[in-house]
Amino acid sequence: MTMRTKQSFLWFGWILLSGSCLGSFVVEKNNLKITSPNSLKGIYECAIGNFGVPKYGGTMIGSVVYPKTNQNGCKPFDSSLSSKPGTFPSFVLIDRGECYFTLKAWNAQKGGAAAILVADDRTEPLITMDTPEEGTGSSKDDYIEKINIPSALISKSLGDKIKSFLSSGEMVNVNLDWREALPHPDERVEYEFWTSSNDECGPKCESEINFVKGFKGAAQLLEQKGFSKFTPHYITWYCPEAFILSEQCKSQCINNGRYCAPDPELDYKRGYSGKDVVIQNLRQVCFFKVANESGKPWQWWDYVTDFSIRCPMRENKYTEECSDQVIKSLGIDLKKVKDCVGDPDANVDNPVLNNEQDSQIGNGDRGDVTILPTLIINNRQYRGKLSKAAVLKAICSGFQETTEPSICLTPDMETNECLQNNGGCWQDAAANITACRDTFRGRVCECPVIQNVQFVGDGYTHCEATGALRCAINNGGCWKETRGSTTFSACIDDHTKGCKCPPGFQGDGVNSCKDLDECKEKLACQCPECQCKNTWGSYECSCTDGLFYTRENDMCIGKYAASVTGGGIVWMVILILAVAGAGGYAFYKYRIRRYMDSEIRAIMAQYMPLDNQPETSIHAQGDV
Ligand SMILES: *[C@@H]1O[C@H](CO)[C@@H](O)[C@H](O)[C@H]1NC(C)=O
Ligand SMILES: *[C@@H]1O[C@H](CO)[C@@H](O)[C@H](O)[C@H]1NC(C)=O
């Protein structure tokens, strides 16, 4: 009986799909750019897997590794796949087949791979790698939640080419690019979440409700600030005309077979029926409609989380009464919601559910919605794990660059690519300065600003401190050494950039400045009486025969000018100046005496007549 019910449900789904839009399920793709070897260079398409964390909005560089054994990745890898320091992260290439895609990805991640490329095993258009269907997975498929590396399916022909290059010892380098995986036209992201109120479908329902709970805060913030326009949606099926009066349709459908949902237990005689699920889904659509009309569409997130906590199926509380209580506690007009739901037993259309059925059909790039849950961002289906960080990353990549809200730029959105090999950016490990900065779009290599000092350079191989305070930080990247109480530095504060060894040293100024041996290099202290001794950064010079060394003239001199041993002209000049100075002094003394004499004479003359005798001056001196 269970089997029969399931078959008819699947059949309903098939009728809707084949009747209106066969084959418009869209495989979401991103770009895979091969950068080496030359003969394989180019941009190829690959399909984003529906698990793990695709780096929406970002890129990732890696080197392909094809394991020697366990090539289908169905067993854990015993030797590490992770890359060695200083090399590209490893993208492990795995063959399709023999086990679930998710198991391959999980084994690759545990082995240390940064991403997994799955090579198709047949020639066909790219498919979407999905998680195992409920019921078919093993009981231990909780690992699916833990997959956080991105995955991509590549065509058989590309896989074969990569393998042949690898086997001939060539390195295959790849750039995975998700920057255009989602359109990012403007400053607002439109997104839809296709879900169901059914909470009894195993791990898939659990992860769905956990996502809603975890994402609620971010979703409400984005909506309240006008950054997003969110719409929840619910899939319904219809019952083929000939079966409207059958037991299956009666228990799974409302409004005379117009809107149906699968039975939660896949057994319509037991527990809740598909009809209960459709009605609750309808209440949730109506709740959104009423909340939206009152200007608070984000209250849907509160209603859905509160309902799942307060009214779960397993506690037999999945009822209208319980739902009404939740609606009332959120301050929403219950009557409006009930009017929107209408009478499920009436043979009439429900405009809200008609609208849901119409929206299910794809348009443009989007494709039909056939998988639950499905997230659609800017009219494209999201692929990847349903987790807050992964989904927020995808939504953030839907904003035109630089218009993304601050929630996209917080630390928990970072990709942590800088942790591995410093993201390939410049760094000064000794000074703990790096140009690598994590963002949700992936890492950027940008010379930093540290303590108001701007570093400039390409960010990859070179960054240099510039400006007035630059020597304060890591000595401006220049050489500096202290011996005893002496320090020499190659950083000059008033130069905006560059390093220069101080006098007495030679070198590049960055890594080293070597002491210059002034004695050996015959740069100073070379006179016959000079005795030269090199010191660190300078030299000492002494003179024989009781002479003195003068550093400014770099020579030995005696106590008297006569013992000039070199630089004779200078000493002649000094001698002349000395003679001239002595003469000048004598003349000055003479002038002073003459002046005093004449002054005294003038004073004395007032008291007595004087003759012109010189000795009066002596007398007068004693008198005054
Ligand atoms: C929500 O409300 C806005 C304006 O009030 C309206 O434009 C929009 O169509 C509504 N959305 C739905 C799904 O009813
Ligand atoms: C390096 O700097 C970062 C932040 O600037 C800091 O968190 C980290 O602890 C530093 N590491 C060392 C070894 O100093």
Side-chain angles (χ1 to χ4, degrees), residues 464-495:
E464 191 179 345
T466 60
L469 297 168
R470 70 188 189 102
C471 295
I473 296 192
N474 191 30
N475 203 42
C478 300
W479 169 90
K480 182 180 181 177
E481 196 178 329
T482 300
R483 290 189 191 175
S485 58
T486 321
T487 298
F488 285 104
S489 162
C491 189
I492 305 159
D493 261 321
D494 15 320
H495 288 203

PDB file of all heavy atoms in Angstrom, residues 464-495:
ATOM      1  N   GLU A 464      55.201  48.272   0.695  1.00  0.00           N
ATOM      2  CA  GLU A 464      56.215  49.063   1.370  1.00  0.00           C
ATOM      3  C   GLU A 464      55.549  50.166   2.171  1.00  0.00           C
ATOM      4  O   GLU A 464      54.622  50.817   1.684  1.00  0.00           O
ATOM      5  CB  GLU A 464      57.120  49.668   0.294  1.00  0.00           C
ATOM      6  CG  GLU A 464      58.355  50.295   0.839  1.00  0.00           C
ATOM      7  CD  GLU A 464      59.216  50.865  -0.282  1.00  0.00           C
ATOM      8  OE1 GLU A 464      58.976  50.508  -1.461  1.00  0.00           O
ATOM      9  OE2 GLU A 464      60.100  51.656   0.020  1.00  0.00           O
ATOM     10  N   ALA A 465      56.031  50.382   3.393  1.00  0.00           N
ATOM     11  CA  ALA A 465      55.471  51.441   4.229  1.00  0.00           C
ATOM     12  C   ALA A 465      55.874  52.790   3.652  1.00  0.00           C
ATOM     13  O   ALA A 465      57.002  52.967   3.221  1.00  0.00           O
ATOM     14  CB  ALA A 465      55.990  51.300   5.644  1.00  0.00           C
ATOM     15  N   THR A 466      54.929  53.741   3.639  1.00  0.00           N
ATOM     16  CA  THR A 466      55.260  55.070   3.142  1.00  0.00           C
ATOM     17  C   THR A 466      54.775  56.115   4.130  1.00  0.00           C
ATOM     18  O   THR A 466      53.926  55.847   4.961  1.00  0.00           O
ATOM     19  CB  THR A 466      54.578  55.377   1.789  1.00  0.00           C
ATOM     20  OG1 THR A 466      53.171  55.286   1.983  1.00  0.00           O
ATOM     21  CG2 THR A 466      55.014  54.416   0.714  1.00  0.00           C
ATOM     22  N   GLY A 467      55.297  57.346   3.985  1.00  0.00           N
ATOM     23  CA  GLY A 467      54.836  58.462   4.792  1.00  0.00           C
ATOM     24  C   GLY A 467      55.694  58.697   6.013  1.00  0.00           C
ATOM     25  O   GLY A 467      56.656  57.984   6.278  1.00  0.00           O
ATOM     26  N   ALA A 468      55.294  59.732   6.764  1.00  0.00           N
ATOM     27  CA  ALA A 468      56.141  60.267   7.830  1.00  0.00           C
ATOM     28  C   ALA A 468      56.456  59.253   8.933  1.00  0.00           C
ATOM     29  O   ALA A 468      57.580  59.192   9.407  1.00  0.00           O
ATOM     30  CB  ALA A 468      55.478  61.497   8.419  1.00  0.00           C
ATOM     31  N   LEU A 469      55.463  58.447   9.330  1.00  0.00           N
ATOM     32  CA  LEU A 469      55.663  57.587  10.498  1.00  0.00           C
ATOM     33  C   LEU A 469      56.159  56.193  10.131  1.00  0.00           C
ATOM     34  O   LEU A 469      56.138  55.285  10.943  1.00  0.00           O
ATOM     35  CB  LEU A 469      54.334  57.454  11.261  1.00  0.00           C
ATOM     36  CG  LEU A 469      53.765  58.737  11.840  1.00  0.00           C
ATOM     37  CD1 LEU A 469      52.352  58.518  12.297  1.00  0.00           C
ATOM     38  CD2 LEU A 469      54.632  59.226  12.987  1.00  0.00           C
ATOM     39  N   ARG A 470      56.570  56.063   8.882  1.00  0.00           N
ATOM     40  CA  ARG A 470      56.802  54.706   8.396  1.00  0.00           C
ATOM     41  C   ARG A 470      57.882  53.954   9.165  1.00  0.00           C
ATOM     42  O   ARG A 470      57.815  52.743   9.310  1.00  0.00           O
ATOM     43  CB  ARG A 470      57.138  54.729   6.908  1.00  0.00           C
ATOM     44  CG  ARG A 470      58.493  55.333   6.622  1.00  0.00           C
ATOM     45  CD  ARG A 470      58.737  55.537   5.163  1.00  0.00           C
ATOM     46  NE  ARG A 470      60.116  55.907   4.956  1.00  0.00           N
ATOM     47  CZ  ARG A 470      61.055  55.074   4.522  1.00  0.00           C
ATOM     48  NH1 ARG A 470      60.746  53.856   4.214  1.00  0.00           N
ATOM     49  NH2 ARG A 470      62.293  55.479   4.386  1.00  0.00           N
ATOM     50  N   CYS A 471      58.894  54.669   9.689  1.00  0.00           N
ATOM     51  CA  CYS A 471      59.978  53.964  10.376  1.00  0.00           C
ATOM     52  C   CYS A 471      59.499  53.368  11.703  1.00  0.00           C
ATOM     53  O   CYS A 471      60.143  52.487  12.260  1.00  0.00           O
ATOM     54  CB  CYS A 471      61.165  54.889  10.609  1.00  0.00           C
ATOM     55  SG  CYS A 471      61.929  55.425   9.071  1.00  0.00           S
ATOM     56  N   ALA A 472      58.347  53.855  12.191  1.00  0.00           N
ATOM     57  CA  ALA A 472      57.829  53.352  13.464  1.00  0.00           C
ATOM     58  C   ALA A 472      57.318  51.924  13.313  1.00  0.00           C
ATOM     59  O   ALA A 472      57.198  51.191  14.294  1.00  0.00           O
ATOM     60  CB  ALA A 472      56.714  54.264  13.958  1.00  0.00           C
ATOM     61  N   ILE A 473      56.973  51.509  12.092  1.00  0.00           N
ATOM     62  CA  ILE A 473      56.430  50.172  11.896  1.00  0.00           C
ATOM     63  C   ILE A 473      57.457  49.283  11.233  1.00  0.00           C
ATOM     64  O   ILE A 473      57.848  49.519  10.084  1.00  0.00           O
ATOM     65  CB  ILE A 473      55.147  50.240  11.050  1.00  0.00           C
ATOM     66  CG1 ILE A 473      54.130  51.021  11.845  1.00  0.00           C
ATOM     67  CG2 ILE A 473      54.664  48.843  10.705  1.00  0.00           C
ATOM     68  CD1 ILE A 473      52.766  50.956  11.344  1.00  0.00           C
ATOM     69  N   ASN A 474      57.908  48.313  11.995  1.00  0.00           N
ATOM     70  CA  ASN A 474      58.857  47.355  11.453  1.00  0.00           C
ATOM     71  C   ASN A 474      60.027  48.059  10.775  1.00  0.00           C
ATOM     72  O   ASN A 474      60.547  47.617   9.769  1.00  0.00           O
ATOM     73  CB  ASN A 474      58.117  46.438  10.456  1.00  0.00           C
ATOM     74  CG  ASN A 474      58.963  45.263  10.055  1.00  0.00           C
ATOM     75  OD1 ASN A 474      59.791  44.806  10.837  1.00  0.00           O
ATOM     76  ND2 ASN A 474      58.775  44.785   8.843  1.00  0.00           N
ATOM     77  N   ASN A 475      60.386  49.221  11.325  1.00  0.00           N
ATOM     78  CA  ASN A 475      61.476  50.031  10.778  1.00  0.00           C
ATOM     79  C   ASN A 475      61.327  50.270   9.268  1.00  0.00           C
ATOM     80  O   ASN A 475      62.307  50.258   8.529  1.00  0.00           O
ATOM     81  CB  ASN A 475      62.819  49.372  11.084  1.00  0.00           C
ATOM     82  CG  ASN A 475      63.957  50.394  11.046  1.00  0.00           C
ATOM     83  OD1 ASN A 475      63.801  51.497  11.553  1.00  0.00           O
ATOM     84  ND2 ASN A 475      65.057  50.037  10.404  1.00  0.00           N
ATOM     85  N   GLY A 476      60.078  50.470   8.833  1.00  0.00           N
ATOM     86  CA  GLY A 476      59.828  50.761   7.424  1.00  0.00           C
ATOM     87  C   GLY A 476      60.269  49.646   6.496  1.00  0.00           C
ATOM     88  O   GLY A 476      60.456  49.858   5.309  1.00  0.00           O
ATOM     89  N   GLY A 477      60.414  48.429   7.051  1.00  0.00           N
ATOM     90  CA  GLY A 477      60.853  47.299   6.243  1.00  0.00           C
ATOM     91  C   GLY A 477      62.352  47.347   5.957  1.00  0.00           C
ATOM     92  O   GLY A 477      62.853  46.593   5.133  1.00  0.00           O
ATOM     93  N   CYS A 478      63.038  48.258   6.639  1.00  0.00           N
ATOM     94  CA  CYS A 478      64.475  48.429   6.368  1.00  0.00           C
ATOM     95  C   CYS A 478      65.314  47.694   7.409  1.00  0.00           C
ATOM     96  O   CYS A 478      64.861  47.371   8.497  1.00  0.00           O
ATOM     97  CB  CYS A 478      64.844  49.918   6.412  1.00  0.00           C
ATOM     98  SG  CYS A 478      63.964  50.919   5.204  1.00  0.00           S
ATOM     99  N   TRP A 479      66.581  47.550   7.078  1.00  0.00           N
ATOM    100  CA  TRP A 479      67.544  46.913   7.958  1.00  0.00           C
ATOM    101  C   TRP A 479      67.766  47.764   9.203  1.00  0.00           C
ATOM    102  O   TRP A 479      67.734  48.997   9.146  1.00  0.00           O
ATOM    103  CB  TRP A 479      68.851  46.729   7.192  1.00  0.00           C
ATOM    104  CG  TRP A 479      70.019  46.314   8.025  1.00  0.00           C
ATOM    105  CD1 TRP A 479      70.402  45.046   8.314  1.00  0.00           C
ATOM    106  CD2 TRP A 479      70.957  47.182   8.669  1.00  0.00           C
ATOM    107  NE1 TRP A 479      71.517  45.064   9.114  1.00  0.00           N
ATOM    108  CE2 TRP A 479      71.882  46.367   9.349  1.00  0.00           C
ATOM    109  CE3 TRP A 479      71.087  48.569   8.757  1.00  0.00           C
ATOM    110  CZ2 TRP A 479      72.927  46.887  10.089  1.00  0.00           C
ATOM    111  CZ3 TRP A 479      72.145  49.093   9.497  1.00  0.00           C
ATOM    112  CH2 TRP A 479      73.056  48.245  10.157  1.00  0.00           C
ATOM    113  N   LYS A 480      67.969  47.096  10.331  1.00  0.00           N
ATOM    114  CA  LYS A 480      68.266  47.794  11.580  1.00  0.00           C
ATOM    115  C   LYS A 480      69.014  46.820  12.478  1.00  0.00           C
ATOM    116  O   LYS A 480      68.669  45.641  12.528  1.00  0.00           O
ATOM    117  CB  LYS A 480      66.954  48.213  12.234  1.00  0.00           C
ATOM    118  CG  LYS A 480      67.113  48.989  13.530  1.00  0.00           C
ATOM    119  CD  LYS A 480      65.734  49.338  14.049  1.00  0.00           C
ATOM    120  CE  LYS A 480      65.828  50.131  15.336  1.00  0.00           C
ATOM    121  NZ  LYS A 480      64.496  50.529  15.783  1.00  0.00           N
ATOM    122  N   GLU A 481      70.043  47.303  13.139  1.00  0.00           N
ATOM    123  CA  GLU A 481      70.786  46.403  14.005  1.00  0.00           C
ATOM    124  C   GLU A 481      71.331  47.156  15.201  1.00  0.00           C
ATOM    125  O   GLU A 481      71.706  48.330  15.099  1.00  0.00           O
ATOM    126  CB  GLU A 481      71.942  45.746  13.215  1.00  0.00           C
ATOM    127  CG  GLU A 481      72.498  44.520  13.923  1.00  0.00           C
ATOM    128  CD  GLU A 481      73.607  43.835  13.133  1.00  0.00           C
ATOM    129  OE1 GLU A 481      73.594  43.879  11.889  1.00  0.00           O
ATOM    130  OE2 GLU A 481      74.500  43.247  13.787  1.00  0.00           O
ATOM    131  N   THR A 482      71.318  46.473  16.344  1.00  0.00           N
ATOM    132  CA  THR A 482      71.843  47.065  17.569  1.00  0.00           C
ATOM    133  C   THR A 482      72.969  46.190  18.088  1.00  0.00           C
ATOM    134  O   THR A 482      72.834  44.970  18.149  1.00  0.00           O
ATOM    135  CB  THR A 482      70.737  47.160  18.633  1.00  0.00           C
ATOM    136  OG1 THR A 482      69.683  47.963  18.127  1.00  0.00           O
ATOM    137  CG2 THR A 482      71.267  47.787  19.912  1.00  0.00           C
ATOM    138  N   ARG A 483      74.101  46.831  18.412  1.00  0.00           N
ATOM    139  CA  ARG A 483      75.184  46.113  19.092  1.00  0.00           C
ATOM    140  C   ARG A 483      75.561  46.942  20.296  1.00  0.00           C
ATOM    141  O   ARG A 483      75.910  48.120  20.145  1.00  0.00           O
ATOM    142  CB  ARG A 483      76.394  45.940  18.181  1.00  0.00           C
ATOM    143  CG  ARG A 483      76.128  44.956  17.069  1.00  0.00           C
ATOM    144  CD  ARG A 483      77.412  44.637  16.317  1.00  0.00           C
ATOM    145  NE  ARG A 483      77.084  43.904  15.104  1.00  0.00           N
ATOM    146  CZ  ARG A 483      77.984  43.572  14.180  1.00  0.00           C
ATOM    147  NH1 ARG A 483      79.246  43.921  14.330  1.00  0.00           N
ATOM    148  NH2 ARG A 483      77.611  42.903  13.112  1.00  0.00           N
ATOM    149  N   GLY A 484      75.488  46.349  21.470  1.00  0.00           N
ATOM    150  CA  GLY A 484      75.756  47.101  22.695  1.00  0.00           C
ATOM    151  C   GLY A 484      74.765  48.238  22.795  1.00  0.00           C
ATOM    152  O   GLY A 484      73.557  48.020  22.694  1.00  0.00           O
ATOM    153  N   SER A 485      75.272  49.459  22.911  1.00  0.00           N
ATOM    154  CA  SER A 485      74.359  50.586  23.051  1.00  0.00           C
ATOM    155  C   SER A 485      74.218  51.335  21.729  1.00  0.00           C
ATOM    156  O   SER A 485      73.632  52.392  21.675  1.00  0.00           O
ATOM    157  CB  SER A 485      74.871  51.525  24.141  1.00  0.00           C
ATOM    158  OG  SER A 485      76.177  51.945  23.793  1.00  0.00           O
ATOM    159  N   THR A 486      74.764  50.761  20.661  1.00  0.00           N
ATOM    160  CA  THR A 486      74.731  51.467  19.378  1.00  0.00           C
ATOM    161  C   THR A 486      73.722  50.809  18.442  1.00  0.00           C
ATOM    162  O   THR A 486      73.685  49.585  18.313  1.00  0.00           O
ATOM    163  CB  THR A 486      76.115  51.413  18.700  1.00  0.00           C
ATOM    164  OG1 THR A 486      77.101  51.557  19.718  1.00  0.00           O
ATOM    165  CG2 THR A 486      76.259  52.491  17.666  1.00  0.00           C
ATOM    166  N   THR A 487      72.893  51.627  17.809  1.00  0.00           N
ATOM    167  CA  THR A 487      71.923  51.123  16.844  1.00  0.00           C
ATOM    168  C   THR A 487      72.105  51.853  15.533  1.00  0.00           C
ATOM    169  O   THR A 487      72.273  53.076  15.513  1.00  0.00           O
ATOM    170  CB  THR A 487      70.489  51.354  17.359  1.00  0.00           C
ATOM    171  OG1 THR A 487      70.330  50.630  18.561  1.00  0.00           O
ATOM    172  CG2 THR A 487      69.457  50.869  16.349  1.00  0.00           C
ATOM    173  N   PHE A 488      72.104  51.114  14.471  1.00  0.00           N
ATOM    174  CA  PHE A 488      72.114  51.734  13.147  1.00  0.00           C
ATOM    175  C   PHE A 488      70.868  51.303  12.391  1.00  0.00           C
ATOM    176  O   PHE A 488      70.398  50.175  12.549  1.00  0.00           O
ATOM    177  CB  PHE A 488      73.356  51.314  12.363  1.00  0.00           C
ATOM    178  CG  PHE A 488      74.612  52.002  12.821  1.00  0.00           C
ATOM    179  CD1 PHE A 488      75.550  51.335  13.590  1.00  0.00           C
ATOM    180  CD2 PHE A 488      74.841  53.333  12.476  1.00  0.00           C
ATOM    181  CE1 PHE A 488      76.704  51.975  14.014  1.00  0.00           C
ATOM    182  CE2 PHE A 488      76.000  53.972  12.900  1.00  0.00           C
ATOM    183  CZ  PHE A 488      76.934  53.301  13.668  1.00  0.00           C
ATOM    184  N   SER A 489      70.300  52.198  11.600  1.00  0.00           N
ATOM    185  CA  SER A 489      69.074  51.912  10.856  1.00  0.00           C
ATOM    186  C   SER A 489      69.203  52.417   9.439  1.00  0.00           C
ATOM    187  O   SER A 489      69.836  53.449   9.186  1.00  0.00           O
ATOM    188  CB  SER A 489      67.894  52.604  11.542  1.00  0.00           C
ATOM    189  OG  SER A 489      66.817  52.681  10.639  1.00  0.00           O
ATOM    190  N   ALA A 490      68.561  51.689   8.513  1.00  0.00           N
ATOM    191  CA  ALA A 490      68.571  52.116   7.110  1.00  0.00           C
ATOM    192  C   ALA A 490      67.291  52.830   6.737  1.00  0.00           C
ATOM    193  O   ALA A 490      67.041  53.107   5.579  1.00  0.00           O
ATOM    194  CB  ALA A 490      68.792  50.911   6.200  1.00  0.00           C
ATOM    195  N   CYS A 491      66.425  53.100   7.741  1.00  0.00           N
ATOM    196  CA  CYS A 491      65.179  53.823   7.456  1.00  0.00           C
ATOM    197  C   CYS A 491      65.381  55.291   7.763  1.00  0.00           C
ATOM    198  O   CYS A 491      65.828  55.640   8.860  1.00  0.00           O
ATOM    199  CB  CYS A 491      64.023  53.263   8.293  1.00  0.00           C
ATOM    200  SG  CYS A 491      62.428  53.942   7.789  1.00  0.00           S
ATOM    201  N   ILE A 492      65.059  56.116   6.805  1.00  0.00           N
ATOM    202  CA  ILE A 492      65.212  57.555   7.018  1.00  0.00           C
ATOM    203  C   ILE A 492      63.816  58.162   7.077  1.00  0.00           C
ATOM    204  O   ILE A 492      63.038  58.053   6.138  1.00  0.00           O
ATOM    205  CB  ILE A 492      66.034  58.189   5.879  1.00  0.00           C
ATOM    206  CG1 ILE A 492      67.374  57.440   5.766  1.00  0.00           C
ATOM    207  CG2 ILE A 492      66.271  59.668   6.149  1.00  0.00           C
ATOM    208  CD1 ILE A 492      68.032  57.599   4.427  1.00  0.00           C
ATOM    209  N   ASP A 493      63.501  58.769   8.236  1.00  0.00           N
ATOM    210  CA  ASP A 493      62.133  59.233   8.490  1.00  0.00           C
ATOM    211  C   ASP A 493      61.624  60.233   7.464  1.00  0.00           C
ATOM    212  O   ASP A 493      60.481  60.164   7.052  1.00  0.00           O
ATOM    213  CB  ASP A 493      62.043  59.867   9.880  1.00  0.00           C
ATOM    214  CG  ASP A 493      61.481  58.875  10.881  1.00  0.00           C
ATOM    215  OD1 ASP A 493      60.567  58.133  10.491  1.00  0.00           O
ATOM    216  OD2 ASP A 493      61.958  58.842  12.024  1.00  0.00           O
ATOM    217  N   ASP A 494      62.468  61.165   7.049  1.00  0.00           N
ATOM    218  CA  ASP A 494      61.931  62.199   6.159  1.00  0.00           C
ATOM    219  C   ASP A 494      61.909  61.764   4.702  1.00  0.00           C
ATOM    220  O   ASP A 494      61.443  62.491   3.856  1.00  0.00           O
ATOM    221  CB  ASP A 494      62.645  63.562   6.334  1.00  0.00           C
ATOM    222  CG  ASP A 494      63.938  63.452   7.098  1.00  0.00           C
ATOM    223  OD1 ASP A 494      63.928  62.675   8.065  1.00  0.00           O
ATOM    224  OD2 ASP A 494      64.931  64.100   6.738  1.00  0.00           O
ATOM    225  N   HIS A 495      62.376  60.539   4.434  1.00  0.00           N
ATOM    226  CA  HIS A 495      62.193  60.039   3.067  1.00  0.00           C
ATOM    227  C   HIS A 495      60.861  59.306   3.026  1.00  0.00           C
ATOM    228  O   HIS A 495      60.557  58.534   3.923  1.00  0.00           O
ATOM    229  CB  HIS A 495      63.322  59.081   2.683  1.00  0.00           C
ATOM    230  CG  HIS A 495      64.623  59.791   2.471  1.00  0.00           C
ATOM    231  ND1 HIS A 495      65.620  59.279   1.705  1.00  0.00           N
ATOM    232  CD2 HIS A 495      65.059  60.986   2.932  1.00  0.00           C
ATOM    233  CE1 HIS A 495      66.645  60.136   1.704  1.00  0.00           C
ATOM    234  NE2 HIS A 495      66.325  61.171   2.448  1.00  0.00           N
TER     235      HIS A 495
END
